[in-house]
Amino acid sequence: MLISSVECTPLLGSIGDFVWNDQNKDGQQDSNEPGVDGVIVRLLQETTPGNYTVVSTTVTSGDGAYLFPSLPEGTYVVEFDKTTLPANFTLTTVNALGVTSSLDSDADPLTGRSGLIALVPTNPALRDRLTIDAGIVNSDCPPTVKCIPIAIKRIR
């Protein structure tokens, strides 16, 4: 008699995307807007309605990317730590009108948190949620002006 065993590995999902500098302050990721390095991002899991536990923390890479891999099914919130944004920067408009979900900012400007994210690894459409991001804007720059760093040299 031959007995075989099958090891079942549960399906897991992931949440991620990036933090970008919304230079024109329109709440939409434009191809020329750079990612932001060094922002702390926390993953919170809903334990009971309205209550959350931090399950993981990471820091955005040089291109602004972050990823929380190998996550079990659950309801999550991504929190972008506003205290780790560059000086004079705040979060941009959340879910800008007319902007697709893959190009908008998901972080509430007041709380730094995304909305609830249902992660269901058995459902291909809800397995990997890789469009949860945050745009940031220079609060010292007027909304109608694209602010970029410049160097001024004094010539005699």
Side-chain angles (χ1 to χ4, degrees), residues 46-60:
E46 187 174 48
T47 53
T48 58
N51 294 304
Y52 306 94
T53 300
V54 176
V55 293
S56 189
T57 301
T58 191
V59 178
T60 58

Side-chain angles (χ1 to χ4, degrees), residues 10-122:
L11 287 174
L12 300 173
S14 59
I15 295 173
D17 204 2
F18 79 117
V19 176
W20 89 96
N21 182 352
D22 186 9
Q23 294 173 333
N24 60 2
K25 297 185 176 186
D26 65 353
Q28 176 174 317
Q29 300 169 31
D30 299 314
S31 61
N32 61 335
E33 293 177 327
V36 179
D37 182 37
V39 177
I40 293 175
V41 185
R42 291 181 197 86
L43 183 65
L44 309 156
Q45 186 169 23
E46 187 174 48
T47 53
T48 58
N51 294 304
Y52 306 94
T53 300
V54 176
V55 293
S56 189
T57 301
T58 191
V59 178
T60 58
S61 62
D63 64 354
Y66 77 92
L67 179 66
F68 295 109
S70 305
L71 300 172
E73 183 170 333
T75 303
Y76 296 90
V77 169
V78 173
E79 180 179 70
F80 299 91
D81 188 335
K82 296 184 340 175
T83 67
T84 62
L85 299 179
N88 301 318
F89 276 79
T90 59
L91 291 165
T92 193
T93 305
V94 65
N95 300 321
L97 186 64
V99 178
T100 66
S101 64
S102 63
L103 296 176
D104 70 351
S105 180
D106 298 292
D108 182 288
L110 297 176
T111 65
R113 291 182 174 186
S114 72
L116 293 174
I117 304 160
L119 195 66
V120 185
T122 57

Side-chain angles (χ1 to χ4, degrees), residues 1 8 11 14 17 29 56 72 89 105 113 117 121 132 136 141 145-146 150 155-156:
M1 180 180 203
C8 293
L11 287 174
S14 59
D17 204 2
Q29 300 169 31
S56 189
F89 276 79
S105 180
R113 291 182 174 186
I117 304 160
I132 311 301
I136 65 170
C141 182
V145 176
K146 182 177 179 179
I150 60 170
I155 301 174
R156 293 183 183 231

